[in-house]
mmCIF file of all heavy atoms in Angstrom:
data_model
loop_
_atom_site.group_PDB
_atom_site.id
_atom_site.type_symbol
_atom_site.label_atom_id
_atom_site.label_comp_id
_atom_site.label_asym_id
_atom_site.label_seq_id
_atom_site.Cartn_x
_atom_site.Cartn_y
_atom_site.Cartn_z
ATOM 1 N N VAL W 12 44.083 6.787 -12.237
ATOM 2 C CA VAL W 12 43.340 6.442 -10.998
ATOM 3 C C VAL W 12 44.115 6.999 -9.822
ATOM 4 O O VAL W 12 43.496 7.668 -8.888
ATOM 5 C CB VAL W 12 43.065 4.973 -10.889
ATOM 6 C CG1 VAL W 12 42.475 4.643 -9.523
ATOM 7 C CG2 VAL W 12 42.067 4.524 -11.979
ATOM 8 N N ILE W 13 45.357 6.678 -9.665
ATOM 9 C CA ILE W 13 46.155 7.186 -8.613
ATOM 10 C C ILE W 13 46.173 8.692 -8.552
ATOM 11 O O ILE W 13 46.011 9.324 -7.494
ATOM 12 C CB ILE W 13 47.549 6.564 -8.593
ATOM 13 C CG1 ILE W 13 47.594 5.084 -8.434
ATOM 14 C CG2 ILE W 13 48.522 7.294 -7.586
ATOM 15 C CD1 ILE W 13 48.900 4.417 -8.566
ATOM 16 N N ASP W 14 46.486 9.308 -9.700
ATOM 17 C CA ASP W 14 46.657 10.735 -9.775
ATOM 18 C C ASP W 14 45.297 11.491 -9.455
ATOM 19 O O ASP W 14 45.343 12.532 -8.693
ATOM 20 C CB ASP W 14 47.147 11.153 -11.096
ATOM 21 C CG ASP W 14 48.657 10.745 -11.379
ATOM 22 O OD1 ASP W 14 49.279 10.395 -10.344
ATOM 23 O OD2 ASP W 14 49.043 10.788 -12.476
ATOM 24 N N VAL W 15 44.253 11.023 -9.948
ATOM 25 C CA VAL W 15 42.938 11.635 -9.700
ATOM 26 C C VAL W 15 42.610 11.477 -8.176
ATOM 27 O O VAL W 15 42.216 12.388 -7.475
ATOM 28 C CB VAL W 15 41.847 11.052 -10.578
ATOM 29 C CG1 VAL W 15 40.465 11.557 -10.126
ATOM 30 C CG2 VAL W 15 42.073 11.480 -12.023
ATOM 31 N N TYR W 16 42.736 10.279 -7.642
ATOM 32 C CA TYR W 16 42.259 9.963 -6.304
ATOM 33 C C TYR W 16 43.110 10.783 -5.282
ATOM 34 O O TYR W 16 42.510 11.186 -4.237
ATOM 35 C CB TYR W 16 42.342 8.515 -6.022
ATOM 36 C CG TYR W 16 41.718 8.222 -4.622
ATOM 37 C CD1 TYR W 16 40.391 8.282 -4.450
ATOM 38 C CD2 TYR W 16 42.568 7.853 -3.554
ATOM 39 C CE1 TYR W 16 39.732 8.106 -3.185
ATOM 40 C CE2 TYR W 16 42.001 7.610 -2.321
ATOM 41 C CZ TYR W 16 40.592 7.711 -2.056
ATOM 42 O OH TYR W 16 40.035 7.601 -0.847
ATOM 43 N N LYS W 17 44.410 10.923 -5.536
ATOM 44 C CA LYS W 17 45.184 11.596 -4.480
ATOM 45 C C LYS W 17 44.744 13.129 -4.442
ATOM 46 O O LYS W 17 44.868 13.693 -3.360
ATOM 47 C CB LYS W 17 46.699 11.568 -4.801
ATOM 48 C CG LYS W 17 47.178 12.280 -5.994
ATOM 49 C CD LYS W 17 48.650 11.964 -6.276
ATOM 50 C CE LYS W 17 49.197 12.734 -7.482
ATOM 51 N NZ LYS W 17 50.541 12.400 -7.844
ATOM 52 N N GLY W 18 44.326 13.667 -5.580
ATOM 53 C CA GLY W 18 43.734 15.027 -5.519
ATOM 54 C C GLY W 18 42.478 15.096 -4.688
ATOM 55 O O GLY W 18 42.321 15.951 -3.907
ATOM 56 N N TYR W 19 41.560 14.083 -4.971
ATOM 57 C CA TYR W 19 40.313 14.006 -4.256
ATOM 58 C C TYR W 19 40.568 13.818 -2.822
ATOM 59 O O TYR W 19 39.999 14.455 -1.899
ATOM 60 C CB TYR W 19 39.513 12.833 -4.816
ATOM 61 C CG TYR W 19 38.145 12.691 -4.158
ATOM 62 C CD1 TYR W 19 36.979 13.394 -4.492
ATOM 63 C CD2 TYR W 19 37.996 11.767 -3.047
ATOM 64 C CE1 TYR W 19 35.750 13.228 -3.857
ATOM 65 C CE2 TYR W 19 36.764 11.618 -2.422
ATOM 66 C CZ TYR W 19 35.713 12.341 -2.834
ATOM 67 O OH TYR W 19 34.503 12.242 -2.164
ATOM 68 N N PHE W 20 41.467 12.869 -2.425
ATOM 69 C CA PHE W 20 41.777 12.475 -1.057
ATOM 70 C C PHE W 20 42.279 13.722 -0.279
ATOM 71 O O PHE W 20 41.893 13.969 0.877
ATOM 72 C CB PHE W 20 42.790 11.394 -1.063
ATOM 73 C CG PHE W 20 43.192 10.893 0.342
ATOM 74 C CD1 PHE W 20 42.413 9.904 0.970
ATOM 75 C CD2 PHE W 20 44.227 11.457 0.994
ATOM 76 C CE1 PHE W 20 42.750 9.496 2.275
ATOM 77 C CE2 PHE W 20 44.590 11.058 2.312
ATOM 78 C CZ PHE W 20 43.803 10.046 2.994
ATOM 79 N N SER W 21 43.187 14.500 -0.910
ATOM 80 C CA SER W 21 43.776 15.652 -0.248
ATOM 81 C C SER W 21 42.749 16.673 0.143
ATOM 82 O O SER W 21 42.859 17.339 1.193
ATOM 83 C CB SER W 21 44.875 16.292 -1.193
ATOM 84 O OG SER W 21 45.909 15.325 -1.384
ATOM 85 N N VAL W 22 41.793 17.001 -0.724
ATOM 86 C CA VAL W 22 40.741 17.982 -0.524
ATOM 87 C C VAL W 22 39.720 17.436 0.489
ATOM 88 O O VAL W 22 39.181 18.187 1.387
ATOM 89 C CB VAL W 22 40.146 18.429 -1.816
ATOM 90 C CG1 VAL W 22 39.015 19.390 -1.588
ATOM 91 C CG2 VAL W 22 41.180 19.144 -2.667
ATOM 92 N N TYR W 23 39.211 16.232 0.229
ATOM 93 C CA TYR W 23 38.082 15.685 1.046
ATOM 94 C C TYR W 23 38.403 15.143 2.323
ATOM 95 O O TYR W 23 37.684 15.442 3.338
ATOM 96 C CB TYR W 23 37.378 14.632 0.190
ATOM 97 C CG TYR W 23 35.978 14.287 0.732
ATOM 98 C CD1 TYR W 23 34.848 15.048 0.349
ATOM 99 C CD2 TYR W 23 35.864 13.284 1.560
ATOM 100 C CE1 TYR W 23 33.603 14.666 0.703
ATOM 101 C CE2 TYR W 23 34.576 12.940 2.069
ATOM 102 C CZ TYR W 23 33.462 13.620 1.688
ATOM 103 O OH TYR W 23 32.145 13.395 2.182
ATOM 104 N N TYR W 24 39.524 14.489 2.477
ATOM 105 C CA TYR W 24 39.784 13.788 3.734
ATOM 106 C C TYR W 24 40.791 14.467 4.622
ATOM 107 O O TYR W 24 40.666 14.485 5.839
ATOM 108 C CB TYR W 24 40.270 12.306 3.393
ATOM 109 C CG TYR W 24 39.162 11.496 2.910
ATOM 110 C CD1 TYR W 24 39.119 11.096 1.577
ATOM 111 C CD2 TYR W 24 38.188 11.003 3.786
ATOM 112 C CE1 TYR W 24 38.086 10.266 1.140
ATOM 113 C CE2 TYR W 24 37.180 10.175 3.321
ATOM 114 C CZ TYR W 24 37.069 9.821 2.001
ATOM 115 O OH TYR W 24 36.123 9.007 1.527
ATOM 116 N N ILE W 25 41.918 14.957 4.072
ATOM 117 C CA ILE W 25 43.027 15.448 4.855
ATOM 118 C C ILE W 25 42.585 16.563 5.797
ATOM 119 O O ILE W 25 42.940 16.599 6.960
ATOM 120 C CB ILE W 25 44.255 15.914 3.956
ATOM 121 C CG1 ILE W 25 44.846 14.663 3.396
ATOM 122 C CG2 ILE W 25 45.237 16.625 4.840
ATOM 123 C CD1 ILE W 25 46.044 14.909 2.468
ATOM 124 N N PRO W 26 41.717 17.593 5.273
ATOM 125 C CA PRO W 26 41.345 18.636 6.288
ATOM 126 C C PRO W 26 40.517 18.045 7.496
ATOM 127 O O PRO W 26 40.528 18.551 8.593
ATOM 128 C CB PRO W 26 40.385 19.483 5.427
ATOM 129 C CG PRO W 26 41.023 19.296 4.081
ATOM 130 C CD PRO W 26 41.348 17.860 3.941
ATOM 131 N N LEU W 27 39.823 16.878 7.263
ATOM 132 C CA LEU W 27 39.073 16.347 8.352
ATOM 133 C C LEU W 27 39.914 15.692 9.449
ATOM 134 O O LEU W 27 39.428 15.437 10.526
ATOM 135 C CB LEU W 27 38.090 15.273 7.765
ATOM 136 C CG LEU W 27 37.069 15.695 6.822
ATOM 137 C CD1 LEU W 27 36.225 14.544 6.268
ATOM 138 C CD2 LEU W 27 36.161 16.752 7.456
ATOM 139 N N LEU W 28 41.213 15.516 9.136
ATOM 140 C CA LEU W 28 42.034 15.025 10.166
ATOM 141 C C LEU W 28 42.385 15.984 11.258
ATOM 142 O O LEU W 28 42.835 15.681 12.341
ATOM 143 C CB LEU W 28 43.422 14.505 9.498
ATOM 144 C CG LEU W 28 43.271 13.377 8.486
ATOM 145 C CD1 LEU W 28 44.665 13.085 7.855
ATOM 146 C CD2 LEU W 28 42.813 12.095 9.200
ATOM 147 N N PHE W 29 42.260 17.321 10.889
ATOM 148 C CA PHE W 29 42.668 18.316 11.721
ATOM 149 C C PHE W 29 41.598 19.377 12.172
ATOM 150 O O PHE W 29 41.687 20.075 13.111
ATOM 151 C CB PHE W 29 43.849 19.169 11.084
ATOM 152 C CG PHE W 29 45.002 18.327 10.743
ATOM 153 C CD1 PHE W 29 45.183 17.749 9.512
ATOM 154 C CD2 PHE W 29 45.930 18.089 11.834
ATOM 155 C CE1 PHE W 29 46.284 17.024 9.205
ATOM 156 C CE2 PHE W 29 47.098 17.282 11.470
ATOM 157 C CZ PHE W 29 47.234 16.684 10.238
ATOM 158 N N LEU W 30 40.502 19.339 11.344
ATOM 159 C CA LEU W 30 39.478 20.249 11.558
ATOM 160 C C LEU W 30 38.039 19.585 11.603
ATOM 161 O O LEU W 30 37.899 18.652 10.808
ATOM 162 C CB LEU W 30 39.371 21.365 10.457
ATOM 163 C CG LEU W 30 40.641 22.187 10.256
ATOM 164 C CD1 LEU W 30 40.571 23.054 8.995
ATOM 165 C CD2 LEU W 30 40.898 23.087 11.450
ATOM 166 N N ASP W 31 37.208 20.037 12.516
ATOM 167 C CA ASP W 31 35.889 19.383 12.585
ATOM 168 C C ASP W 31 35.010 19.857 11.322
ATOM 169 O O ASP W 31 34.240 19.061 10.822
ATOM 170 C CB ASP W 31 35.146 19.924 13.811
ATOM 171 C CG ASP W 31 35.773 19.379 15.113
ATOM 172 O OD1 ASP W 31 36.334 18.281 15.044
ATOM 173 O OD2 ASP W 31 35.707 20.074 16.130
ATOM 174 N N GLU W 32 35.341 21.085 10.884
ATOM 175 C CA GLU W 32 34.593 21.555 9.709
ATOM 176 C C GLU W 32 35.558 22.497 8.908
ATOM 177 O O GLU W 32 35.994 23.509 9.439
ATOM 178 C CB GLU W 32 33.309 22.290 10.106
ATOM 179 C CG GLU W 32 32.471 22.706 8.820
ATOM 180 C CD GLU W 32 31.171 23.279 9.265
ATOM 181 O OE1 GLU W 32 30.849 23.249 10.480
ATOM 182 O OE2 GLU W 32 30.528 23.984 8.421
ATOM 183 N N SER W 33 35.944 22.107 7.749
ATOM 184 C CA SER W 33 36.887 22.792 6.915
ATOM 185 C C SER W 33 36.191 23.810 6.035
ATOM 186 O O SER W 33 35.058 23.616 5.561
ATOM 187 C CB SER W 33 37.850 21.938 6.140
ATOM 188 O OG SER W 33 37.063 21.176 5.247
ATOM 189 N N THR W 34 36.877 24.954 5.761
ATOM 190 C CA THR W 34 36.357 25.962 4.910
ATOM 191 C C THR W 34 36.846 25.708 3.421
ATOM 192 O O THR W 34 37.708 24.922 3.154
ATOM 193 C CB THR W 34 36.804 27.363 5.332
ATOM 194 O OG1 THR W 34 38.191 27.395 5.173
ATOM 195 C CG2 THR W 34 36.375 27.634 6.718
ATOM 196 N N ASN W 35 36.185 26.363 2.513
ATOM 197 C CA ASN W 35 36.570 26.279 1.083
ATOM 198 C C ASN W 35 38.000 26.745 0.940
ATOM 199 O O ASN W 35 38.740 26.165 0.008
ATOM 200 C CB ASN W 35 35.655 27.068 0.190
ATOM 201 C CG ASN W 35 34.380 26.433 0.067
ATOM 202 O OD1 ASN W 35 34.219 25.088 0.108
ATOM 203 N ND2 ASN W 35 33.248 27.121 -0.270
ATOM 204 N N ILE W 36 38.393 27.733 1.690
ATOM 205 C CA ILE W 36 39.827 28.235 1.562
ATOM 206 C C ILE W 36 40.820 27.136 1.963
ATOM 207 O O ILE W 36 41.791 26.921 1.311
ATOM 208 C CB ILE W 36 40.018 29.458 2.469
ATOM 209 C CG1 ILE W 36 39.151 30.650 1.894
ATOM 210 C CG2 ILE W 36 41.551 29.816 2.489
ATOM 211 C CD1 ILE W 36 39.242 31.892 2.756
ATOM 212 N N VAL W 37 40.552 26.484 3.023
ATOM 213 C CA VAL W 37 41.453 25.375 3.502
ATOM 214 C C VAL W 37 41.421 24.226 2.435
ATOM 215 O O VAL W 37 42.509 23.654 2.120
ATOM 216 C CB VAL W 37 40.977 24.799 4.859
ATOM 217 C CG1 VAL W 37 41.781 23.603 5.229
ATOM 218 C CG2 VAL W 37 41.210 25.908 5.933
ATOM 219 N N LYS W 38 40.275 23.940 1.942
ATOM 220 C CA LYS W 38 40.195 22.814 0.919
ATOM 221 C C LYS W 38 40.928 23.220 -0.265
ATOM 222 O O LYS W 38 41.597 22.403 -0.941
ATOM 223 C CB LYS W 38 38.767 22.511 0.627
ATOM 224 C CG LYS W 38 37.947 21.868 1.684
ATOM 225 C CD LYS W 38 36.539 21.634 1.297
ATOM 226 C CE LYS W 38 35.752 20.855 2.367
ATOM 227 N NZ LYS W 38 34.288 20.673 1.971
ATOM 228 N N ALA W 39 40.779 24.492 -0.666
ATOM 229 C CA ALA W 39 41.520 24.969 -1.887
ATOM 230 C C ALA W 39 43.032 24.938 -1.688
ATOM 231 O O ALA W 39 43.792 24.584 -2.610
ATOM 232 C CB ALA W 39 41.082 26.413 -2.255
ATOM 233 N N LEU W 40 43.503 25.306 -0.545
ATOM 234 C CA LEU W 40 44.892 25.226 -0.275
ATOM 235 C C LEU W 40 45.424 23.776 -0.297
ATOM 236 O O LEU W 40 46.517 23.454 -0.786
ATOM 237 C CB LEU W 40 45.214 25.778 1.167
ATOM 238 C CG LEU W 40 45.117 27.267 1.267
ATOM 239 C CD1 LEU W 40 45.205 27.734 2.745
ATOM 240 C CD2 LEU W 40 46.180 28.001 0.444
ATOM 241 N N ALA W 41 44.564 22.845 0.271
ATOM 242 C CA ALA W 41 44.921 21.445 0.250
ATOM 243 C C ALA W 41 44.985 20.907 -1.229
ATOM 244 O O ALA W 41 45.926 20.156 -1.611
ATOM 245 C CB ALA W 41 43.912 20.627 1.031
ATOM 246 N N GLY W 42 44.025 21.416 -2.054
ATOM 247 C CA GLY W 42 43.947 20.966 -3.383
ATOM 248 C C GLY W 42 45.152 21.452 -4.196
ATOM 249 O O GLY W 42 45.817 20.745 -4.940
ATOM 250 N N PHE W 43 45.544 22.764 -4.075
ATOM 251 C CA PHE W 43 46.651 23.305 -4.740
ATOM 252 C C PHE W 43 47.962 22.612 -4.289
ATOM 253 O O PHE W 43 48.905 22.442 -5.104
ATOM 254 C CB PHE W 43 46.761 24.799 -4.665
ATOM 255 C CG PHE W 43 47.900 25.339 -5.352
ATOM 256 C CD1 PHE W 43 47.939 25.347 -6.865
ATOM 257 C CD2 PHE W 43 49.015 25.837 -4.737
ATOM 258 C CE1 PHE W 43 49.021 25.846 -7.551
ATOM 259 C CE2 PHE W 43 50.115 26.329 -5.426
ATOM 260 C CZ PHE W 43 50.100 26.320 -6.856
ATOM 261 N N SER W 44 48.024 22.373 -3.066
ATOM 262 C CA SER W 44 49.241 21.687 -2.503
ATOM 263 C C SER W 44 49.419 20.285 -3.153
ATOM 264 O O SER W 44 50.538 19.866 -3.502
ATOM 265 C CB SER W 44 49.177 21.569 -1.043
ATOM 266 O OG SER W 44 49.054 22.860 -0.350
ATOM 267 N N ALA W 45 48.292 19.574 -3.321
ATOM 268 C CA ALA W 45 48.364 18.241 -3.971
ATOM 269 C C ALA W 45 48.826 18.362 -5.392
ATOM 270 O O ALA W 45 49.633 17.576 -5.859
ATOM 271 C CB ALA W 45 47.028 17.584 -3.844
ATOM 272 N N ILE W 46 48.259 19.370 -6.126
ATOM 273 C CA ILE W 46 48.637 19.568 -7.486
ATOM 274 C C ILE W 46 50.177 19.898 -7.571
ATOM 275 O O ILE W 46 50.869 19.427 -8.432
ATOM 276 C CB ILE W 46 47.841 20.712 -8.122
ATOM 277 C CG1 ILE W 46 46.332 20.272 -8.193
ATOM 278 C CG2 ILE W 46 48.335 21.029 -9.558
ATOM 279 C CD1 ILE W 46 45.420 21.416 -8.529
ATOM 280 N N LEU W 47 50.608 20.766 -6.655
ATOM 281 C CA LEU W 47 52.053 21.144 -6.677
ATOM 282 C C LEU W 47 52.900 19.956 -6.307
ATOM 283 O O LEU W 47 53.943 19.785 -6.966
ATOM 284 C CB LEU W 47 52.208 22.238 -5.579
ATOM 285 C CG LEU W 47 53.458 23.142 -5.731
ATOM 286 C CD1 LEU W 47 53.367 24.050 -6.995
ATOM 287 C CD2 LEU W 47 53.554 24.094 -4.467
#
């Protein structure tokens, strides 16, 4: 549960902290960073 949710949280929520509207590229970078 922790491992799945942190991946979801990184892609869905973190970009919204800095951008009004995030692109798929930014979301993908966030996702890979969380996996890393």
Side-chain angles (χ1 to χ4, degrees):
V12 169
I13 293 173
D14 290 347
V15 171
Y16 186 70
K17 70 185 182 184
Y19 180 87
F20 182 87
S21 296
V22 173
Y23 193 86
Y24 289 107
I25 292 178
L27 296 179
L28 297 175
F29 300 95
L30 301 171
D31 293 330
E32 187 174 348
S33 59
T34 64
N35 285 333
I36 293 176
V37 171
K38 290 180 179 179
L40 287 171
F43 181 69
S44 298
I46 296 169
L47 202 63

